[in-house]
Each structure stands twice: as C-alpha cells, then as structure tokens.
C-alpha cells in the first residue's frame, strides 16, 4: 500500500499570500496518478487537480499542481477567502487508492 | 447536471449491517464506476473500494473491508449501493459515493452512519 504523507499539517496564511502544500509518497506513483481535493467544513470533497498537474473543470488558475514519482506539490497563488479549507492528495495508480492525511489551510 | 444523491443518516447497533444508496443522474450511469470513501469524525478520507456500474461483478475492495463490504449497482434505477456488515463504533463515519473516472470527479452529499449501543 502506498502511504501518502502531507505537510505541513496546518498552514496559517493571510488572503493574498501564496501557499505551497506537499504530498510525499512512500513509493513511486505510477503515471503521475495523483489528485488533489479540497474539502470545506461539512461539505463533500471537490476535485481540484488530476494527473498531478491538470486542473479539473471550473478550477481557477491560481491552483496548480506539480511533481512526479514520490514528490508532489499543490500551489495556490494569491489566496482568496474561500480557499481556506482542508486539502487532500490521493494516488490512484496502485490499489488501494490511498489519501494523504490532509493539510488544513487556515487564516492567520 | 451530474448529481449523486445519497440516502439519509442511519443509526445502527454494534453488530448490525447498514446499506447506503447513491442515486445518479445527469450522465450515463453505466459509463462510469462508483467509488466509496468514508470519513470518521474529525478524520481524513479513507478509500473503501470501487465498482463498475456496467459490470456488477467487477469490484475492487480495500483489503481492510474485504469480507464486510459489498458494493452493487442497479442500472435500471441508476443507483449504487454499499452494504457494510458487523458494524462497530469504529465504523461511525460519513460515507461518500463518487463518480469514478479513475479520479472522483463528482461526489454525493455524504451519509452519516452512527454505530452506537
């Protein structure tokens, strides 16, 4: 089973700043089958990024993903108030399709 | 528009079973799989498994749930079901279904299952 470790656990920033979230895999993720989801309190997750770097439909271009093999990054430029949420990475290249433990992005 | 509407909250006793339904609309149900994910209170997301909507027997369950979970679909009603048996307090969680195209691009609203004596 591929274990995904996200860092930091909590990130405190202000609107307008940039955010960098990390997701590290215990083994290489095949074909960059890595996705990022955003979850707000009391809501279902929302797909942001798939294939490590492809934005899902309707996702603003301030969200970008990068990385390969075992190291992946979600970057949010110019944080908006609605961006403060919990972010999860997921690998879907090797069953079971595991999630990271999440990074909480909170307002400083 | 794509929608996945799940059944309502359930309270179960330890040892009981639960069935959560997930009714799809706005797309051709048999063209996509359904993934089930759960989230315990205050915790992260946990992948439970996947089922092909076109081929009811094509499933992929997480090892952790093997023997306790059964996922099925009914193409006549465009509905997916997740049955979980031998419930314990550790199964208290919100259960989500999602349309699966390798990644989960649309999610249901979630169903809270509470296991309590």
């Amino acid at each position: 089973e591929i274990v995904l470790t996200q860092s930091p656990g909590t990130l405190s920033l202000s609107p307008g700043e940039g955010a960098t979230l990390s997701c590290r895999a215990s083994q290489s993720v095949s074909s960059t089958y890595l996705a990022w989801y955003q979850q707000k309190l009391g809501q279902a997750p929302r797909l942001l990024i798939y294939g490590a770097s492809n934005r899902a439909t309707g996702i603003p271009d301030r969200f970008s993903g990068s990385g390969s093999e075992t190291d992946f990054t979600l970057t949010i430029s110019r944080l908006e108030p609605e961006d403060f949420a919990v972010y999860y990475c997921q690998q879907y290249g090797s069953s079971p399709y595991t999630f990271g433990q999440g990074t909480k992005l909170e307002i400083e | 528009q794509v929608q996945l509407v799940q059944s309502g909250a359930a309270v179960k006793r330890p040892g009981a079973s639960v069935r959560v339904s997930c009714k799809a609309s706005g797309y051709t149900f048999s063209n996509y799989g359904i993934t089930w994910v759960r989230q315990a209170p205050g915790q992260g997301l946990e992948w439970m498994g996947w089922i092909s909507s076109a081929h009811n027997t094509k499933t992929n369950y997480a090892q952790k749930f093997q023997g306790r979970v059964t996922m099925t679909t009914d193409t006549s009603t465009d509905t997916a079901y997740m049955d979980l048996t031998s419930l314990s307090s550790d199964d208290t969680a919100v259960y989500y279904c999602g349309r699966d195209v390798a990644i989960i691009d649309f999610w249901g609203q979630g169903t809270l299952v509470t296991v309590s004596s």
Side-chain angles (χ1 to χ4, degrees), chain B residues 4-7 19-24 27 29 33-36 51 53 56 70-75 77-83 97-98:
Chain B
L4 297 170
V5 178
Q6 299 184 222
S7 47
R19 165 170 279 200
V20 179
S21 67
C22 170
K23 181 165 178 59
Y27 70 98
F29 182 68
I34 293 287
T35 283
W36 291 89
I51 182 168
S53 300
N56 216 358
T70 303
M71 297 175 188
T72 56
T73 60
D74 183 345
T75 54
T77 59
D78 291 350
T79 303
Y81 300 93
M82 189 281 297
D83 293 299
C97 64

Side-chain angles (χ1 to χ4, degrees), chain B residues 49-104:
Chain B
W50 167 91
I51 182 168
S52 165
S53 300
H55 306 285
N56 216 358
T57 56
K58 194 170 181 181
T59 56
N60 179 14
Y61 300 147
Q63 179 79 15
K64 175 178 180 177
F65 300 102
Q66 288 275 3
R68 280 210 304 142
V69 71
T70 303
M71 297 175 188
T72 56
T73 60
D74 183 345
T75 54
S76 70
T77 59
D78 291 350
T79 303
Y81 300 93
M82 189 281 297
D83 293 299
L84 191 62
T85 63
S86 303
L87 293 170
S88 72
S89 58
D90 290 342
D91 295 312
T92 293
V94 174
Y95 290 76
Y96 292 102
C97 64
R99 188 179 82 161
D100 187 293
V101 287
I103 38 81
I104 306 163

Side-chain angles (χ1 to χ4, degrees), chain B residues 105-117:
Chain B
D105 63 348
F106 287 93
W107 296 68
Q109 84 277 19
T111 296
L112 175 62
V113 175
T114 302
V115 183
S116 173
S117 55

Side-chain angles (χ1 to χ4, degrees), chain A residues 11-15 17-20 79 84 105-108:
Chain A
L11 187 56
S12 300
L13 294 169
S14 299
E17 292 189 290
T20 302
L79 284 164
F84 292 90
L105 179 55
E106 64 177 23
I107 298 177
E108 188 170 37

Side-chain angles (χ1 to χ4, degrees), chain A residues 35 37 39 43-45 47 50 88 90 92 95-97 99, chain B residues 37 39 43-47 60 96 102-105 107-108:
Chain A
Y37 298 89
Q39 187 179 34
Q43 296 184 16
L47 175 66
Y50 64 94
Y88 294 94
Q90 183 204 17
Y92 52 101
S95 181
Y97 302 137
F99 290 90
Chain B
V37 172
Q39 186 170 38
Q43 302 301 307
L45 303 171
E46 182 174 28
W47 186 84
N60 179 14
Y96 292 102
I103 38 81
I104 306 163
D105 63 348
W107 296 68

Side-chain angles (χ1 to χ4, degrees), chain A residues 19-98:
Chain A
T20 302
L21 286 66
S22 173
C23 175
R24 180 159 289 178
S26 60
Q27 307 168 41
S28 182
V29 175
S30 62
S31 303
T32 60
Y33 286 157
L34 193 286
W36 290 93
Y37 298 89
Q38 176 194 68
Q39 187 179 34
K40 297 180 180 178
L41 195 62
Q43 296 184 16
R46 177 173 74 143
L47 175 66
L48 298 176
I49 300 286
Y50 64 94
S53 61
N54 302 289
R55 273 188 301 277
T57 303
I59 301 303
D61 60 8
R62 64 179 182 273
F63 290 90
S64 63
S66 62
S68 63
E69 298 191 1
T70 60
D71 286 290
F72 298 89
T73 301
L74 175 69
T75 302
I76 313 171
S77 62
R78 305 178 312 276
L79 284 164
E80 298 285 343
E82 63 268 26
D83 298 337
F84 292 90
V86 180
Y87 292 82
Y88 294 94
C89 57
Q90 183 204 17
Q91 65 81 22
Y92 52 101
S94 173
S95 181
Y97 302 137
T98 45

